Amino acid sequence: MNALAVIDPADQPIQLEVFSYVPTWASVHAVGDKSAMPLFRQGEVAVFENSTKRIPEHGKLYVVEYGGNPIAPGHRIISPRRTRLVQAHRHQTADREHWSFRSYAGPAHWHDGWYPDEYAMAEKVLGPVIGIYAPSGSIRP
């Protein structure tokens, strides 16, 4: 069974597989808030391919990892690493291209960027999202 959703009318539909178990080549990301709406609701679990540092593609979903907030050159606050489910986005202006990770949560969207290109984003990527974990075999009422 597959689930299909469109995040942005200009983007292609995102196709997700429904998994009743987590394959050995995959990992999971528990969605702890509403930042992954409309594809994932709070409490649902995304399945992503173990594929660190993959070069992201425009419009595709990824689980990315963040941690350690820079406060001054050469200094870092030690903070726990955290993950987020996001979409890679390419924005073309008249003179150049910009890249970012973004999520959807109502009128205000979380955004990380601008990156000069998709290669600069790869360091944060844990893997592409391929589906949703639904152990009962059913999904959403």
Side-chain angles (χ1 to χ4, degrees):
M1 181 195 320
N2 289 329
L4 191 67
V6 176
I7 290 181
D8 184 330
D11 290 336
Q12 295 295 316
I14 294 173
Q15 197 167 15
L16 299 172
E17 187 171 342
V18 178
F19 290 91
S20 59
Y21 66 94
V22 179
T24 57
W25 47 266
S27 293
V28 294
H29 169 77
V31 179
D33 57 21
K34 296 179 181 179
S35 67
M37 293 289 284
L39 290 177
F40 291 89
R41 296 184 299 190
Q42 185 172 352
E44 292 182 326
V45 179
V47 177
F48 67 95
E49 182 183 333
N50 291 324
S51 183
T52 59
K53 299 183 181 169
R54 177 178 277 192
I55 298 165
E57 298 175 47
H58 171 74
K60 302 271 176 113
L61 296 176
Y62 296 90
V63 173
V64 296
E65 186 175 45
Y66 294 89
N69 301 321
I71 56 172
H75 295 86
R76 294 180 76 74
I77 295 174
I78 304 301
S79 64
R81 297 192 72 73
R82 56 196 184 279
T83 58
R84 184 179 283 274
L85 191 151
V86 294
Q87 182 184 36
H89 180 72
R90 177 184 64 238
H91 178 74
Q92 184 70 46
T93 61
D95 60 338
R96 60 184 238 181
E97 184 176 89
H98 303 279
W99 283 80
S100 67
F101 288 123
R102 64 184 189 176
S103 64
Y104 292 84
H109 306 297
W110 179 88
H111 178 273
D112 177 49
W114 297 103
Y115 292 91
D117 57 37
E118 63 271 40
Y119 300 98
M121 301 164 72
E123 185 68 29
K124 293 183 179 179
V125 174
L126 295 178
V129 174
I130 54 170
I132 185 168
Y133 177 58
S136 66
S138 64
I139 190 167
R140 299 183 192 185

